[in-house]
Amino acid sequence: MTWIYLSAGLGVAGLVVLGVAGARVVAAARILNREIATAKAQLEPGRARLTNRGDETTPRAAYDRG
């Protein structure tokens, strides 16, 4: 009978360890998502500026040169 209690206790302890590890992964994923959003916000003005410049291989039409 002791073996049953011991195996049940070890099973619960294993689930607790997995729960803690899962919570840490979720927290790290949220932090990473925040960092990616910050980096994207910092890079967005430069991307928009470069996108508006046009393609260097495609010459602009005479009426577009202002």
Side-chain angles (χ1 to χ4, degrees):
M1 190 75 171
T2 304
W3 290 105
I4 295 173
Y5 291 133
L6 180 64
S7 64
L10 287 175
V12 170
L15 290 177
V16 168
V17 169
L18 289 176
V20 170
R24 290 181 65 187
V25 167
V26 168
R30 287 182 181 170
I31 292 170
L32 180 61
N33 191 21
R34 223 176 304 141
E35 289 178 6
I36 290 172
T38 303
K40 185 177 179 182
Q42 290 175 351
L43 292 174
E44 185 64 29
R47 188 198 63 79
R49 190 175 57 242
L50 290 174
T51 302
N52 290 336
R53 263 187 18 193
D55 192 7
E56 295 174 359
T57 60
T58 306
R60 296 173 64 188
Y63 54 83
D64 283 342
R65 298 180 193 151

